[in-house]
Amino acid sequence: PAPLIFLCHNVFPHEPFPLSRPLTKMALSQADKFIVQAVTESSKLKDLFPDKEVIQTNHPLYTAFQEKTIEREIAREYLSASPEERIVLFFGIVRRYKGLKYLIEAIPYVVRQISCQFYIVGEFYEDEAAYLAQIRRANVEKYVTIINRYVPNEEVSYYFTACDIVVLPYEDATQSGIIPLAFAFDRPVITTRVGGLPKMVQHGLTGFLVAPKNPEALAQAILAFYREARSTEFRDHIRKAKKEYSWDKIVKIIEEIAD
């Protein structure tokens, strides 16, 4: 019979509960082999199932969103943003581990030195009011645009085409589906040195890596990106790196281990 292969984005839940480990082990015990996209997840599976094969590969790019090309000017119009405006994007559902509060803390450092607009786009799985209060306390309301809702596939291109850079200030992580999404649009990423993220972002080449829970470091990375005019350089490196994030590569792995 054909082997049962599990592709595990996260082995355990981001917010664990008392029975999460035994329930996870029971569910995953049905698999013959595993594919993961971060060394941290490989270690967790080898701890659970020492005798089962675990293959690690890269998270493929979400290239499907680029089937219809949108010009930058059109994307900026969709966001009601001017062509010359600096736009930083935080994208994805908002949960504690995503570290949004640290990005909000970083905004005053940035806007005291350069004009910049921060877009927080994604459905809040936490109380939005706490974040709004934090923004008010920091007195940065005019620099922040919040889109608190699920973003359908048809709209994703507008946000990534319009932005200059994507910032993901994770407190902890396995890997991130937002990074290959950003790379699909040739957008560099500022993220933290947690989990498998340093394997995904090459510091100084495809973005910047900073310490987690460090608003000042986030701010300095954003300022460096704009002051050093790194956009073209980063995009060139992202285009070269894309071959490591192809769907063909993961298909080949599945074919090989399914024999």
Side-chain angles (χ1 to χ4, degrees):
L4 182 60
I5 302 168
F6 282 12
L7 173 59
C8 298
H9 188 73
N10 301 307
V11 174
F12 296 113
H14 285 295
E15 286 96 7
F17 51 91
L19 291 176
S20 58
R21 183 179 177 88
L23 289 174
T24 296
K25 185 171 184 178
M26 182 173 65
L28 297 183
S29 66
Q30 306 302 309
D32 298 304
K33 302 178 182 182
F34 299 96
I35 299 173
V36 296
Q37 297 159 335
V39 66
T40 54
E41 301 313 281
S42 178
S43 298
K44 291 172 188 175
L45 283 172
K46 288 176 180 176
D47 178 55
L48 287 174
F49 307 108
D51 299 326
K52 294 193 178 185
E53 185 177 5
V54 181
I55 301 94
Q56 183 187 336
T57 186
N58 292 325
H59 193 306
L61 299 181
Y62 290 115
T63 52
F65 292 102
Q66 293 181 291
E67 290 179 356
K68 181 181 178 181
T69 303
I70 298 172
E71 296 297 327
R72 185 174 181 271
E73 292 74 15
I74 300 299
R76 289 284 177 117
E77 286 178 13
Y78 182 84
L79 271 60
S80 299
S82 64
E84 64 277 359
E85 194 168 25
R86 299 182 182 95
I87 294 181
V88 175
L89 177 64
F90 173 100
F91 191 89
I93 60 172
V94 178
R95 294 167 68 178
R96 182 198 56 77
Y97 76 91
K98 296 289 188 76
L100 175 58
K101 67 178 182 180
Y102 300 105
L103 176 58
I104 295 172
E105 287 181 38
I107 293 175
Y109 291 101
V110 176
V111 299
R112 279 199 294 265
Q113 301 184 58
I114 63 171
S115 175
C116 199
Q117 192 70 21
F118 291 79
Y119 278 76
I120 298 168
V121 182
E123 188 175 0
F124 280 67
Y125 278 35
E126 294 189 295
D127 183 12
E128 182 187 12
Y131 291 100
L132 293 175
Q134 185 188 2
I135 291 167
R136 285 194 298 272
R137 288 195 301 271
N139 195 28
V140 293
E141 299 100 311
K142 68 179 181 179
Y143 302 106
V144 179
T145 300
I146 293 180
I147 312 294
N148 178 6
R149 61 178 174 84
Y150 168 76
V151 179
N153 291 349
E154 296 76 19
E155 295 182 31
V156 169
S157 297
Y158 290 100
Y159 294 104
F160 282 88
T161 302
C163 78
D164 302 311
I165 193 163
V166 178
V167 178
L168 304 171
Y170 289 76
E171 294 182 19
D172 57 74
T174 51
Q175 68 277 313
S176 169
I178 307 301
I179 294 174
L181 179 55
F183 286 174
F185 287 93
D186 298 332
R187 292 304 184 268
V189 175
I190 296 172
T191 192
T192 49
R193 291 188 178 91
V194 295
L197 303 187
K199 178 74 166 55
M200 303 179 78
V201 175
Q202 300 173 63
H203 181 69
L205 295 176
T206 61
F208 289 122
L209 294 165
V210 301
K213 304 180 182 181
N214 191 326
E216 192 167 352
L218 273 177
Q220 291 303 322
I222 294 168
L223 289 167
F225 170 74
Y226 285 112
R227 286 174 172 168
E228 297 170 14
R230 302 292 295 274
S231 180
T232 300
E233 177 190 348
F234 281 167
R235 290 183 189 188
D236 287 344
H237 284 293
I238 290 167
R239 288 168 183 151
K240 291 175 184 176
K242 280 185 175 181
K243 62 181 181 293
E244 296 298 321
Y245 298 89
S246 72
W247 286 97
D248 288 342
K249 186 174 181 180
I250 198 166
V251 168
K252 184 178 179 182
I253 288 171
I254 293 170
E255 289 175 340
E256 288 175 351
I257 65 175
D259 286 341

